[in-house]
Amino acid sequence: MGKFVITKRTNGEFQFNLKAGNGQTILTSEGYSTKAAALNGIESVKTNSQDDNRYDRKESSNGKPYFNLKASNGQNIGASEMYESTSARENGIESVKKNAPDADTDDQTA
């Protein structure tokens, strides 16, 4: 089962990673100024992860596929790693869909 891990960046911002059951990071958030905002981001991932239209499939400047997960207002709520192929990117999206809704939250900032 997946989990959201909340950490604090060196600049004081909070961020979260969604990790799959095997511990691999499958989605990374932006930086948030408060823990409450990061927790709202997690709820947004849980809500929006089930809608395929929320996944913005992209390609980096070096040709590597990746995706962003967007909220209903169009704001980015998470980004994937760079993948070696479009099929690997699709597997990443499926992993977010599978892991996000029931994922526990592990707050490592407390």
Side-chain angles (χ1 to χ4, degrees), residues 47-103:
T47 301
N48 290 288
S49 63
Q50 300 309 295
D51 184 347
D52 195 64
N53 294 321
R54 299 275 189 254
Y55 292 91
D56 193 7
R57 293 161 171 86
K58 297 196 164 276
E59 195 170 281
S60 68
S61 56
N62 65 357
K64 298 221 184 243
Y66 71 101
F67 64 86
N68 291 322
L69 178 61
K70 295 187 176 289
S72 55
N73 64 4
Q75 183 180 358
N76 265 358
I77 47 179
S80 73
E81 64 180 358
M82 299 295 163
Y83 293 100
E84 294 300 320
S85 66
T86 54
S87 63
R89 177 182 63 198
E90 293 304 313
N91 288 341
I93 290 171
E94 289 307 311
S95 185
V96 172
K97 287 179 180 178
K98 184 177 113 191
N99 285 284
D102 302 317

Side-chain angles (χ1 to χ4, degrees), residues 19-33:
K19 295 185 179 269
N22 63 7
Q24 182 180 5
T25 298
I26 51 178
L27 194 72
T28 300
S29 76
E30 62 182 6
Y32 294 95
S33 57

Side-chain angles (χ1 to χ4, degrees), residues 1-5 17-21 99 103-106 108:
M1 186 161 124
K3 68 178 175 178
F4 289 97
V5 179
N17 289 320
L18 173 59
K19 295 185 179 269
N99 285 284
D104 290 330
T105 299
D106 177 7
Q108 298 187 348

